[in-house]
Amino acid sequence: MKYYSTHRQSPPATLEEAVIGGLAPDGGLYMPERIPTLDDAVIRSLKDRSFHEIATLVAQAFFGEDLEADALAEIVREALSFDTPVVPVSDGIYSLELFHGPTLAFKDVGARFMARMLGYFIRRKGIERQVNVLVATSGDTGSAVANGFLGIPHIRVFVLYPGGKVSPIQERQFTTLGQNITALEIDGAFDDCQALVKAAFADRELNRRLLLTSANSINVARFLPQAFYYFHAWAQLDRAGRAGRLTVCVPSGNLGNLTAGLFARRMGLPVRHFIAALNRNDVFREYLQTGLYRPRPSVTTLANAMDVGHPSNFARILDLYGQDHAAVVQDISGYGYTDEQIAATVREVRHTHRYLLDPHGACGYRALIDRRLQPGETGLFLETAHPAKFKETVDRITGLPVEIPPRLQAFMQGKKQSTPLGKDFNGFKNFLLTQHLVN
Ligand SMILES: *Cc1c(COP(=O)(O)O)cnc(C)c1O
């Protein structure tokens, strides 16, 4: 299968080229030239299959032409070593818990899958140079990518994060690993980290001397695998007799997760409607309501993994719907919430339904309530992270300490190793040029 750029200014790429390259040379995002469909009988049979079987099926449909079945099955098996259960929260509303992976957030799925697929293509292509993955993070992306790529041969990961601006738990998750993971503590804000990464990709000399790629959700190997758990969730609801009239609500930032859901639907998954749940950074809701897209700098909120003012996968959604606003709004609605509304939702759901939401999942739950589903309809929201990942915030909201799962506690015992760097590009560039393969 070939992948075209949303800008349509560079030639179609193979999967291998798209995964190694990340962004298309013309600056667009790669899209598969067609979306394979699963027939109805297969969809109906999902309820009798395991997550692993479902993921393999969907992966084969998408990537089957481009790598051997054995290799793909192994990538799926290694990437998805944990479950994504659906649990009931309140009347007709279910939570898809995506936080049972190593760093307790949904990004584990895409990061682990991409790491293994990229590793496979590097081997197959016989690339002998070190491949450098650059990732800017405000917290969650860095931990998922660092843990996902840990120990993968020929790949070196540089995580750029704003010093003093990520939570201690998040910082530990990417600064204590060592091996092929290098944490760079930038004296600046998240935007400075992102600017450094962008400048690196644009720097001719750096790209001549080093192989650079990105592990953000622009990479097809990171965002497409997220379709797997939509199928698995539907299978679980079907088993419970609740898959009939389904609305799926996705707490959104860069819109990668939502886009994967839209792909799942195009593949034949019977989802009636999607909701993008947002915080105060709601340019996408504004687009849905007005047809105008006005990206702007993000503001800080309690659901900080969704603090995005210019969502990168917006381009993919527009492309999927042929730039037709009316078609987009037929399938997707948007809701945005203030910090006060997020906090009130966490408190209320904990009190009334004994379910502890994290600030991102709270936006998702609340949007399903505000959507006012009819009796017999089912609402499913994606619980994108474990509440303990945002312990300081959640403790403050509920007045009760969240219990830290052992996996998170283990990170707190590690020793922090990071390299402090300024936010000027030349210092960063010189640092990269002195780094050599460690494994
Ligand atoms: C990354 C993230 C999101 C946003 O996902 P996108 O794919 O960028 O829309 C939501 N919640 C949490 C906890 C995240 O880490």
Side-chain angles (χ1 to χ4, degrees):
M1 172 125 65
K2 284 286 173 64
Y3 290 79
Y4 65 88
S5 162
T6 51
H7 288 180
R8 290 179 170 77
Q9 301 294 311
S10 35
T14 62
L15 177 63
E16 181 180 285
E17 288 162 349
V19 173
I20 296 175
L23 211 59
D26 62 8
L29 278 72
Y30 282 119
M31 294 283 280
E33 63 180 3
R34 71 200 148 69
I35 300 180
T37 51
L38 302 177
D39 61 43
D40 208 44
V42 175
I43 302 280
R44 300 289 150 197
S45 76
L46 294 180
K47 65 173 184 300
D48 303 317
R49 299 178 193 250
S50 67
F51 183 25
H52 177 249
E53 288 168 339
I54 292 171
T56 307
L57 200 88
V58 179
Q60 280 296 346
F62 253 111
F63 305 123
E65 288 171 19
D66 298 298
L67 60 172
E68 300 82 65
D70 288 1
L72 186 55
E74 168 126 340
I75 292 170
V76 171
R77 189 175 49 74
E78 287 183 10
L80 303 178
S81 49
F82 49 90
D83 197 16
T84 57
V86 168
V87 305
V89 175
S90 65
D91 234 17
I93 297 186
Y94 293 77
S95 167
L96 168 55
E97 294 187 345
L98 297 175
F99 54 69
H100 297 282
T103 73
L104 304 151
F106 80 90
K107 291 188 175 76
D108 282 329
V109 171
R112 292 172 66 80
F113 190 94
M114 181 193 158
R116 280 150 190 85
M117 187 173 258
L118 179 59
Y120 170 82
F121 284 139
I122 289 170
R123 270 200 315 282
R124 187 168 91 176
K125 211 164 180 252
I127 295 177
E128 281 173 9
R129 293 158 76 192
Q130 166 177 295
V131 175
N132 300 283
V133 172
L134 305 182
V135 59
T137 187
S138 54
D140 262 8
T141 303
S143 54
V145 168
N147 283 271
F149 282 76
L150 182 64
I152 307 272
H154 290 292
I155 303 180
R156 178 85 177 269
V157 176
F158 296 93
V159 179
L160 288 78
Y161 71 101
K165 295 194 183 69
V166 301
S167 81
I169 289 179
Q170 287 180 324
E171 186 178 30
R172 291 285 152 154
Q173 288 180 301
F174 51 80
T175 58
T176 57
L177 299 166
Q179 298 186 52
N180 59 333
I181 310 300
T182 301
L184 302 176
E185 183 168 5
I186 305 298
D187 183 16
F190 169 67
D191 289 343
D192 297 311
C193 300
Q194 201 152 37
L196 285 175
V197 169
K198 277 197 180 151
F201 288 130
D203 189 271
R204 284 250 177 106
E205 187 196 359
L206 207 47
N207 284 275
R208 202 174 57 240
R209 295 180 56 185
L210 300 175
L211 245 172
L212 301 178
T213 193
S214 139
N216 291 86
S217 57
I218 56 158
N219 198 300
V220 291
R222 215 193 108 188
F223 104 89
L224 268 178
Q226 295 172 165
F228 302 165
Y229 45 69
Y230 286 90
F231 284 90
H232 181 47
W234 189 88
Q236 293 173 75
L237 288 170
D238 196 28
R239 217 176 289 151
R242 292 296 318 217
R245 297 153 67 201
L246 178 63
T247 295
V248 176
C249 181
V250 189
S252 294
N254 269 317
L255 301 170
N257 219 356
L258 175 64
T259 305
L262 299 171
F263 270 80
R265 186 167 186 265
R266 289 281 172 100
M267 290 182 78
L269 193 71
V271 175
R272 264 205 168 177
H273 196 72
F274 281 94
I275 299 175
L278 307 160
N279 55 28
R280 277 174 55 224
N281 298 284
D282 62 348
V283 294
F284 186 56
R285 183 196 57 75
E286 190 177 274
Y287 162 77
L288 292 170
Q289 254 162 26
T290 65
L292 299 176
Y293 180 63
R294 299 186 306 170
R296 45 186 173 262
S298 63
V299 296
T300 303
T301 76
L302 293 181
N304 63 13
M306 307 184 340
D307 294 349
V308 179
H310 186 5
S312 45
N313 287 287
F314 180 65
R316 282 199 169 109
I317 295 180
L318 281 187
D319 196 90
L320 205 55
Y321 286 90
Q323 327 282 320
D324 180 354
H325 177 259
V328 176
V329 297
Q330 202 150 56
D331 286 356
I332 316 169
S333 305
Y335 291 81
Y337 295 106
T338 64
D339 280 356
E340 291 70 30
Q341 290 172 314
I342 291 171
T345 306
V346 171
R347 265 193 299 271
E348 188 190 307
V349 173
R350 194 192 168 284
H351 180 76
T352 314
H353 304 295
R354 305 275 150 213
Y355 190 84
L356 186 60
L357 294 163
D358 95 291
H360 307 80
C363 297
Y365 178 86
R366 173 94 180 218
L368 283 173
I369 296 292
D370 290 346
R371 175 87 185 157
R372 298 178 185 280
L373 301 176
Q374 302 299 309
E377 285 189 272
T378 298
L380 176 75
F381 69 97
L382 276 54
E383 187 31 300
T384 46
H386 192 289
K389 284 205 92 168
F390 305 93
K391 182 171 171 52
E392 294 81 6
T393 305
V394 175
D395 287 1
R396 202 164 4 94
I397 291 173
T398 62
L400 294 162
V402 190
E403 215 177 298
I404 308 240
R407 237 168 313 153
L408 264 192
Q409 239 151 27
F411 283 113
M412 295 309 284
Q413 255 107 60
K415 186 177 177 311
K416 170 180 160 180
Q417 297 168 279
S418 64
T419 305
L421 275 183
K423 60 183 175 191
D424 66 296
F425 179 62
N426 279 329
F428 175 53
K429 177 174 171 178
N430 288 331
F431 175 81
L432 284 180
L433 288 171
T434 61
Q435 301 297 305
H436 300 286
L437 192 57
V438 285
N439 53 0

